[in-house]
Amino acid sequence: MSRKKTERQLNLVICLLSTRRYLTAREIRATVAGYEEAESDGAFKRMFERDKKELRQSGIPVETGGGDMWSDEEGYRISRAAYTLPEIALLPDEAAVLGLAARAWRHAALGDAAAGAMMKLRAAGVPTDSDAAPDLTPVLATDEPSFLPMWQAVRDRRPVEFDYRKPGAHAPERRVLEPWGVVNVRGRWYVAGHDRDRGERRVFRLGRVAGEVRVLGSGPPVRVPEGVDVRSVVRAHRPEPEYTARLLVAEGAGHELRRAARRIVAGAHTGAGQRGRPGRRWDRLELPYADLPALVGAVARFGERVVVEEPAEARAAVADHLRAVADRAPDGGDGGAVPEPDGAGERRVSASAEQLRRLLMLVPYALSHDVRVPEVAAHFGLSERQVVKDLALLWMCGLPGYTPGDLIEVDLDAAEETGEIIIGNADALAAPLRLTADEAASLIVGLELLAELPGAAGGDALKRVGEKLRAAAGAAAEEFADSVAVRVDLDEDEREKQRRCGEALRAGQRLHLRYLSGYEDEVTERDVDPMGLVVQDGHAFLEGWCRLRGGVRLFRMDRVLDLTVLPEAAQVPDSARRRDLSAGVLQLSEDDARVTLELEPEARWVAEEYVCSRVEELGGGRLRATLRTPAPRWVRRLALRLGPQARVVAPADLAEKVREDAGRALEGYRGG
């Protein structure tokens, strides 16, 4: 069935490309091979509508216009100007960065689009280097279910309707939005646009969209106001610090607070009598903050090692927060064993659609290059057997009439015996297919991600290849690409550290790091033999052989407190392998502890921020979420941060340790 469908659709493409006028559906049914199998008018209509839809989804511009001059019946054709990919000439450095940009999407929602774009460019003879810069691994994740429908709504300029749960809200609210664009800022996707009900511009985080996004098909297309920069709209959405808190922080603790502090007075307090903590040395921090609840959580997670001195309202709020945890009665149940969910099915393009695209790329490439079966297989990432099968199907297609003079000529004997590819009478398919809006935008956004990274590409190659892609994509695709953006927002210190990592990689030198653990509130000294740089959305990671741990580790660059390039050669063991990032940067293990939390509406962000193996709605906006972690102590800090907004359900001993942690921390506020 799949082979017959591919033949029929390829015959339809050849027919509509070759006609000079619009053909009616009646004429197409009578002349295009494959439609004679339709047993009734209704069956033909369903078959033809599906074919048109699938061709358009593959980027084939089936146009509708005037058909039969004696009736009002509409007709169809494919304009060669709209079908054909304009010529693109890339220099070697441009081919390298283009291959790198395509790799950014390989594990994400637009992986198929980026891969399709690269295949079309190869079919047109455009040089692309998919193996460029092996030391750099850009990764764009799109885990939010709402990403694809929102992306498509922006592309098609259609309004959307969805339920949105604001932080702390008990129930989601219905929103109708005219979307202007989607933006990734530091690893999170946002949509910006005009909220119809509120009559104002709004920004929504896609991870907080509840349920399905409904694209509204009726009404005029969405118009983006003149001069609106979507990235600026999203960036302006974040509040600026307005207040200052004074904290006492135990020596060697509270490292993340120290990094955000405006001022640190070392050794401000020492000795006995410091709020029940004899013998400790304390530093005083002045910490800016914009939101009191956020400050309370940021302080509480460090337990007894951080105490708020002032303002008084912040001090009282932290004490109340900790008291709610310390005084909580133990849960009577064990939380129950939580089974792991089955893996979600991956999105797949149908076999017939995939084969049709291959054929539309294989023919122009073979006609314009003196190539053999092994070369074509290597060029398109296929098996030699698949190339021969595609050629055999091509041999059955051609212009209506389907006489020997109408059919495409393929020497299958030569292909099978010597690998030589001889194709004739295929002028209708000689032109390479233009990039779709999704394909062009996926590459342009990938280039934008690279442009945000220091040292990712030399010179102005990124700018040059971006301009060439936009020119080749057409006005609609270019306009769409301008509505999508990725923003990394590295500070100068982080850019400098990343630049030095790149230099060490190229020179093969060892690095010394002072590194703040993401699980523990501790700084360790590490000697690392670098293996590569990974960019997951807005975060850069150094991947290397850690001599302290004796294994391959990922080090997030914004947690590297200090970096030194050592005057000695890196020595990565032969057995060391770079990580498979198909499931993301976070590497889970069957040995990880499983911790179940019950989350109030204010804490639902936990399920958005961290990878959960199971999430269950409890009603009233509450959730039960199961996390997997190699560091249960990190969950104790998370539970202290959440306070009364969350409860550890299982394991019971961890819940008891959280209550004990809160009780000890509360001692710092007695009598204050």
Side-chain angles (χ1 to χ4, degrees):
M1 178 65 182
S2 176
R3 179 186 175 91
K4 289 184 178 180
K5 181 179 180 180
T6 307
E7 287 181 13
R8 183 181 72 244
Q9 290 184 347
L10 186 58
N11 282 325
L12 178 60
V13 171
I14 294 171
C15 176
L16 296 182
L17 272 171
S18 303
T19 183
R20 293 187 177 182
R21 64 179 180 84
Y22 291 95
L23 298 179
T24 65
R26 180 166 38 84
E27 291 174 311
I28 290 169
R29 182 183 183 185
T31 57
V32 175
Y35 288 115
E36 71 280 357
E37 295 185 2
E39 298 178 352
S40 65
D41 291 345
F44 164 73
K45 183 176 181 180
R46 290 190 295 272
M47 185 185 294
F48 183 50
E49 290 300 320
R50 282 195 301 268
D51 286 348
K52 283 190 299 176
K53 180 179 179 180
E54 291 180 14
L55 291 184
R56 286 168 175 155
Q57 288 174 340
S58 296
I60 301 168
V62 178
E63 297 179 350
T64 303
D68 190 340
M69 63 181 296
W70 305 109
S71 71
D72 294 330
E73 187 178 357
E74 64 183 7
Y76 307 91
R77 72 175 183 185
I78 298 174
S79 164
R80 285 196 173 274
Y83 177 94
T84 304
L85 177 71
E87 183 177 352
I88 304 176
L90 295 184
L91 299 175
D93 60 343
E94 296 169 348
V97 298
L98 186 61
L100 197 56
R103 292 208 321 251
W105 291 101
R106 59 183 166 179
H107 302 313
L110 294 178
D112 290 341
M118 295 297 281
M119 288 190 71
K120 286 181 179 178
L121 292 171
R122 292 191 194 107
V126 177
T128 59
D129 188 354
S130 297
D131 298 321
D135 293 336
L136 181 63
T137 306
V139 181
L140 275 165
T142 52
D143 299 327
E144 301 90 341
S146 59
F147 174 81
L148 269 180
M150 205 68 80
W151 169 282
Q152 291 161 357
V154 171
R155 178 195 64 198
D156 300 335
R157 296 297 184 203
R158 302 307 313 164
V160 290
E161 189 176 28
F162 55 91
D163 290 332
Y164 188 75
R165 190 185 299 273
K166 294 191 297 185
H170 288 264
E173 297 179 355
R174 198 65 164 170
R175 301 297 184 103
V176 178
L177 183 74
E178 297 174 5
W180 299 339
V182 288
V183 179
N184 186 297
V185 178
R186 296 290 280 182
R188 298 187 180 100
W189 285 100
Y190 300 83
V191 60
H194 176 74
D195 187 319
R196 284 185 174 177
D197 293 332
R198 287 151 184 81
E200 296 177 343
R201 66 177 59 180
R202 285 288 189 272
V203 175
F204 301 95
R205 183 170 158 184
L206 296 192
R208 294 188 179 128
V209 172
E212 296 184 359
V213 175
R214 179 170 167 249
V215 180
L216 306 179
S218 59
V222 171
R223 298 188 64 181
V224 181
E226 186 102 17
V228 165
D229 177 65
V230 181
R231 281 192 298 190
S232 298
V233 173
V234 173
R235 283 171 59 83
H237 180 62
R238 294 184 288 177
E240 293 296 325
E242 298 174 358
Y243 311 103
T244 301
R246 195 170 70 180
L247 315 176
L248 286 177
V249 181
E251 185 180 40
H255 295 286
E256 292 185 23
L257 297 176
R258 293 173 183 273
R259 300 183 75 191
R262 285 182 179 151
R263 183 167 176 258
I264 300 176
V265 180
H269 290 277
T270 57
Q274 179 53 47
R275 297 185 173 87
R277 296 172 174 80
R280 276 191 173 177
R281 181 183 175 92
W282 297 80
D283 302 329
R284 178 172 284 125
L285 274 61
E286 293 182 2
L287 184 74
Y289 69 98
D291 178 71
L292 180 58
L295 173 69
V296 170
V299 168
R301 63 180 168 151
F302 292 102
E304 61 181 327
R305 292 169 294 174
V306 178
V307 177
V308 176
E309 284 193 316
E310 55 183 46
E313 65 168 344
R315 181 176 171 81
V318 173
D320 291 343
H321 180 96
L322 293 169
R323 190 176 295 108
V325 179
D327 294 347
R328 179 181 290 147
D331 183 34
D334 62 1
V338 181
E340 294 293 320
D342 294 333
E346 298 182 3
R347 198 168 50 94
R348 287 282 182 261
V349 177
S350 71
S352 60
E354 190 175 312
Q355 188 174 32
L356 177 65
R357 290 187 212 171
R358 281 202 310 269
L359 288 167
L360 295 177
M361 291 184 276
L362 186 154
V363 173
Y365 183 71
L367 290 177
S368 59
H369 297 75
D370 184 14
V371 290
R372 295 175 176 269
V373 169
E375 296 169 75
V376 171
H379 192 69
F380 291 107
L382 304 170
S383 66
E384 294 183 24
R385 183 167 173 264
Q386 184 61 62
V387 173
V388 174
K389 285 179 64 176
D390 287 349
L391 291 172
L393 187 147
L394 190 66
W395 182 60
M396 304 295 294
C397 301
L399 288 165
Y402 306 104
T403 65
D406 300 317
L407 293 172
I408 294 174
E409 299 168 359
V410 180
D411 191 332
L412 289 178
D413 291 336
E416 293 173 342
E417 295 171 9
T418 67
E420 188 176 8
I421 297 179
I422 303 173
I423 299 176
N425 203 29
D427 291 347
L429 301 180
L433 181 58
R434 182 185 289 271
L435 301 181
T436 66
D438 282 352
E439 290 167 345
S442 68
L443 294 184
I444 291 171
V445 172
L447 291 169
E448 187 175 74
L449 171 63
L450 296 180
E452 292 276 306
L453 307 177
D460 61 349
L462 284 167
K463 181 180 178 181
R464 285 186 270 114
V465 74
E467 290 173 348
K468 291 177 180 180
L469 268 181
R470 287 172 180 273
E478 182 179 3
E479 182 182 357
F480 174 42
D482 288 336
S483 300
V484 185
V486 176
R487 189 79 183 186
V488 176
D489 280 346
L490 300 178
D491 60 31
E492 287 306 313
D493 179 61
E494 196 172 340
R495 287 182 180 275
E496 174 61 19
K497 286 183 290 191
Q498 189 170 318
R499 184 189 63 77
R500 279 185 280 155
C501 277
E503 290 178 351
L505 270 166
R506 291 186 288 273
Q509 289 177 275
R510 183 170 295 168
L511 293 166
H512 179 77
L513 311 180
R514 287 186 66 244
Y515 188 69
L516 174 59
S517 169
Y519 288 119
E520 301 288 345
D521 181 27
E522 66 177 10
V523 176
T524 55
E525 304 280 340
R526 313 280 188 111
D527 281 355
V528 178
D529 295 325
M531 300 167 65
L533 282 172
V534 175
V535 182
Q536 169 80 45
D537 297 321
H539 297 292
F541 297 80
L542 168 67
E543 184 175 15
W545 179 264
C546 177
R547 296 196 156 296
L548 178 66
R549 304 301 186 206
V552 176
R553 293 292 188 272
L554 286 169
F555 301 94
R556 211 168 100 171
M557 295 300 294
D558 61 352
R559 295 193 183 122
V560 175
L561 305 182
D562 191 32
L563 181 150
T564 304
V565 180
L566 299 176
E568 53 188 296
Q571 296 180 350
V572 179
D574 293 338
S575 60
R577 296 289 182 270
R578 298 194 64 179
R579 294 190 177 191
D580 176 11
L581 299 178
S582 58
V585 169
L586 180 64
Q587 305 289 306
L588 298 177
S589 166
E590 285 303 314
D591 296 329
D592 291 345
R594 288 166 172 78
V595 180
T596 301
L597 303 173
E598 286 189 358
L599 305 171
E600 297 298 318
E602 297 86 352
R604 288 179 67 98
W605 61 266
V606 172
E608 305 163 8
E609 193 78 15
Y610 303 111
V611 176
C612 298
S613 58
R614 184 181 179 87
V615 176
E616 179 185 355
E617 292 282 353
L618 298 178
R622 299 169 60 248
L623 285 180
R624 176 175 288 156
T626 299
L627 306 173
R628 288 170 56 182
T629 175
R633 186 170 181 82
W634 166 79
V635 181
R636 288 164 62 180
R637 292 175 58 201
L638 175 64
L640 286 178
R641 176 184 177 183
L642 296 171
Q645 299 172 3
R647 181 171 64 91
V648 177
V649 176
D653 62 333
L654 184 65
E656 181 58 33
K657 288 176 181 176
V658 171
R659 287 190 289 275
E660 293 173 358
D661 291 342
R664 285 193 299 270
L666 193 57
E667 288 299 316
Y669 295 88
R670 301 293 187 192

